[in-house]
C-alpha cells in the first residue's frame, strides 16, 4: 500500500534525517502499511453498505490503535489546558441584548436536531461543539463569508480536557525527540484519513468525513461506557484545518501554525438528563459577550484586518466579561 505512494521516499528521508535505526525504520514502515490497509478496508466496507461489519471492525481497530492513549509519551492524545481560549462565529443579526445570547453560539440544541448538517467530526443527527484557535481560522472554516453578517464569541475552558490529537506537525518539531516523531509517523495515516479536503462542498453525502465521523461516534460510545472516570476521558478531537486557503496564508507568513487549529467537543448528555444543551460540556466552558463588527466600518478594512480586530476585542476585554455557559 505504502510503497506505491509518492510520499514513500519522503517518509524514508525523514526517518534517515533523524537517525532512526534500520530496525526501527522497518518497524515503522510495516505498521504504517498495516494501518493504511486497515483504513482502506474499513472505507470499502462502508461504501458497499456492509455497515455492521464497518462499525464493528472500526470499533476494534480504534480500540487497538488507542489502547495506550492515556500514556502522554505516545502523543495519541493531547491535554487541552484550562484557560484555553477558542472562537466561534455564527450568522445572525445583532440582538437587542448581546449579553443574553451566549447560548446561541453553543452547540445546536438537542431539540433542534433537524438543523444538523454533516460535519467532519460529528455524529449524524447529534450535535457537537466546534471551535477554532483563531477568529481567522473560524472564518476560513465557514468558507470566507462576509464578516459583517456574523456574530463572534470567545470560549475559555474552565479545566483541562483530554482530546485526540490529529494535528499536522512538522518533523523539525521532533528534532530532539525521535521517540515522539516515531509515534507521530505511526498515526499519520489516521491524520490523513481525517484531513481530506471536501471535493463537493454543496452535496449531501461527504465521503471525506466517513472515517472522522466514526472516530467521533467511537469516542461517544467510549465516554458513555467510562462512567467511573469521566474527568479523564477523552471528550473530543484537536485537529488542523483542512482548508487550502489557510495553508497558503501559513506559507506566506501571514499567520502562525497556532492559528490553524480546530476543536470538536462532544456534547455529552445522559439518558436520565435530557435537556436542550449538554450540562456536562457547559460546565467546562466560560464565554464572553458576543461581538459584532459595525457595518459602517466593514467596507474600510480587509476581512483579515476586521477579524484581527475581533480577536483583539476579546483579548482586551476585562475578566468580568467571562460567564459560565451553565
Amino acid at each position: 500500500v505504502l510503497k506505491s505512494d509518492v510520499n514513500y521516499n519522503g517518509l524514508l528521508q525523514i526517518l534517515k534525517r533523524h537517525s532512526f535505526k534500520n530496525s526501527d525504520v522497518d518497524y515503522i514502515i510495516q505498521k504504517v502499511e498495516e494501518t493504511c490497509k486497515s483504513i482502506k478496508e474499513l472505507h470499502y466496507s462502508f461504501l458497499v453498505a456492509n455497515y455492521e461489519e464497518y462499525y464493528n471492525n472500526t470499533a476494534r481497530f480504534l480500540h487497538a490503535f488507542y489502547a495506550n492513549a492515556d500514556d502522554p509519551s505516545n502523543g495519541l492524545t493531547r491535554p487541552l489546558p484550562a484557560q484555553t481560549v477558542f472562537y466561534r462565529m455564527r450568522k445572525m443579526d445583532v440582538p437587542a441584548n448581546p449579553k443574553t445570547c451566549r447560548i446561541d453560539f453553543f452547540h445546536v440544541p438537542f431539540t433542534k436536531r433537524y438543523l444538523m448538517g454533516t460535519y467532519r467530526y460529528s455524529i449524524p443527527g447529534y450535535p457537537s461543539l466546534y471551535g477554532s484557535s483563531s477568529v481567522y481560522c473560524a472564518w476560513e472554516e465557514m468558507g470566507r463569508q462576509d464578516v459583517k453578517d456574523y456574530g463572534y464569541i470567545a470560549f475559555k475552558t474552565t479545566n483541562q480536557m483530554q482530546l485526540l490529537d490529529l494535528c499536522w506537525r512538522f518533523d523539525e518539531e521532533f528534532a530532539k525527540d525521535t521517540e515522539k516523531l516515531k509515534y507521530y509517523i505511526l498515526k499519520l495515516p489516521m491524520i490523513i484519513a481525517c484531513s481530506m479536503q471536501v471535493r463537493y462542498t454543496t452535496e449531501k453525502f461527504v465521503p471525506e468525513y466517513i472515517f472522522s465521523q466514526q472516530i467521533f461516534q467511537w469516542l461517544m460510545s467510549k465516554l458513555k461506557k467510562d462512567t467511573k472516570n469521566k474527568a479523564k476521558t477523552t471528550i473530543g478531537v484537536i485537529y488542523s484545518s483542512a482548508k487550502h486557503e489557510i495553508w497558503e496564508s501559513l506559507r506566506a507568513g501571514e499567520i502562525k501554525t497556532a492559528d490553524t487549529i480546530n476543536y470538536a467537543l462532544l456534547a455529552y448528555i445522559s439518558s436520565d438528563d435530557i435537556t436542550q444543551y449538554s450540562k456536562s460540556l457547559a460546565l467546562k466552558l466560560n464565554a464572553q459577550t458576543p461581538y459584532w463588527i459595525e457595518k459602517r466600518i466593514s467596507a474600510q478594512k480587509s476581512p483579515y484586518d476586521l477579524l484581527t480586530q475581533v480577536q483583539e476585542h476579546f483579548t482586551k476585554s476585562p475578566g468580568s466579561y467571562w460567564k459560565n455557559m451553565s
Side-chain angles (χ1 to χ4, degrees):
V1 176
L2 181 64
K3 290 183 179 179
S4 61
D5 191 276
V6 294
N7 292 315
Y8 178 67
N9 290 329
L11 177 56
L12 286 178
Q13 290 301 316
I14 291 174
L15 295 173
K16 290 177 180 178
R17 186 161 62 247
H18 289 270
S19 303
F20 279 95
K21 299 177 182 178
N22 289 336
S23 57
D24 287 336
V25 171
D26 292 340
Y27 170 78
I28 291 171
I29 295 296
Q30 177 188 347
K31 297 301 291 184
V32 169
E33 285 186 321
E34 290 175 357
T35 304
C36 289
K37 182 179 179 181
S38 295
I39 293 174
K40 188 176 181 179
E41 289 173 348
L42 291 170
H43 270 78
Y44 178 77
S45 62
F46 183 94
L47 292 173
V48 296
N50 287 337
Y51 296 125
E52 183 177 4
E53 176 183 291
Y54 171 73
Y55 293 126
N56 291 337
N57 290 346
T58 303
R60 282 193 288 268
F61 170 77
L62 292 172
H63 276 301
F65 193 89
Y66 287 108
N68 300 313
D70 293 333
D71 182 353
S73 66
N74 59 31
L76 292 175
T77 58
R78 187 196 302 190
L80 186 67
Q83 308 302 306
T84 297
V85 177
F86 62 88
Y87 306 92
R88 280 176 60 79
M89 53 188 289
R90 182 187 173 191
K91 190 171 185 178
M92 59 186 295
D93 294 327
V94 184
N97 186 359
K99 292 183 179 181
T100 63
C101 70
R102 286 182 175 88
I103 198 67
D104 294 324
F105 289 81
F106 203 33
H107 65 74
V108 173
F110 292 113
T111 53
K112 295 184 178 181
R113 297 189 186 202
Y114 55 86
L115 297 174
M116 288 290 297
T118 182
Y119 306 104
R120 189 175 297 273
Y121 290 101
S122 63
I123 302 168
Y126 194 96
S128 54
L129 180 68
Y130 284 86
S132 300
S133 59
S134 66
V135 178
Y136 171 77
C137 185
W139 177 64
E140 290 282 12
E141 293 298 324
M142 294 297 291
R144 295 193 167 198
Q145 299 295 316
D146 191 333
V147 296
K148 68 178 182 294
D149 293 334
Y150 283 73
Y152 304 81
I153 196 169
F155 288 98
K156 182 189 290 185
T157 57
T158 59
N159 52 14
Q160 181 172 288
M161 301 181 188
Q162 196 73 7
L163 305 178
L164 290 187
D165 186 357
L166 291 172
C167 288
W168 290 103
R169 300 291 183 87
F170 301 97
D171 68 297
E172 292 82 359
E173 297 179 40
F174 304 100
K176 297 181 180 180
D177 197 332
T178 55
E179 192 68 11
K180 286 188 176 180
L181 175 60
K182 181 180 81 170
Y183 282 115
Y184 173 71
I185 293 173
L186 291 176
K187 70 176 182 180
L188 265 178
M190 300 278 286
I191 295 174
I192 293 170
C194 295
S195 303
M196 299 176 67
Q197 292 184 354
V198 177
R199 185 175 184 181
Y200 302 109
T201 57
T202 59
E203 300 305 322
K204 296 179 180 179
F205 173 58
V206 186
E208 293 88 352
Y209 291 170
I210 290 174
F211 197 65
S212 54
Q213 287 182 343
Q214 185 59 22
I215 284 180
F216 224 61
Q217 188 160 324
W218 173 74
L219 277 179
M220 177 61 81
S221 176
K222 188 171 180 292
L223 179 63
K224 287 182 177 293
K225 291 177 182 178
D226 195 5
T227 56
K228 296 181 180 180
N229 198 26
K230 276 191 166 38
K232 296 182 179 179
T233 303
T234 304
I235 64 164
V237 176
I238 180 171
Y239 63 103
S240 301
S241 175
K243 297 291 184 180
H244 172 76
E245 295 82 3
I246 204 169
W247 289 95
E248 289 297 317
S249 296
L250 182 64
R251 293 188 189 97
E254 297 170 349
I255 59 172
K256 299 177 181 178
T257 305
D259 298 325
T260 67
I261 304 302
N262 289 312
Y263 310 97
L265 306 178
L266 288 165
Y268 176 74
I269 186 170
S270 60
S271 57
D272 59 347
D273 185 27
I274 299 177
T275 57
Q276 287 198 73
Y277 299 97
S278 170
K279 289 184 179 179
S280 175
L281 184 57
L283 288 169
K284 293 179 172 65
L285 298 171
N286 291 331
Q288 284 202 24
T289 301
Y291 179 78
W292 278 261
I293 296 170
E294 294 183 43
K295 295 187 178 183
R296 64 181 178 81
I297 67 168
S298 62
Q300 302 172 18
K301 296 183 179 180
S302 69
Y304 183 82
D305 289 336
L306 290 169
L307 295 168
T308 302
Q309 170 188 313
V310 173
Q311 190 156 327
E312 288 178 348
H313 163 81
F314 288 124
T315 303
K316 296 177 180 178
S317 294
S320 59
Y321 277 41
W322 294 100
K323 302 293 182 183
N324 189 255
M325 286 300 298
S326 62

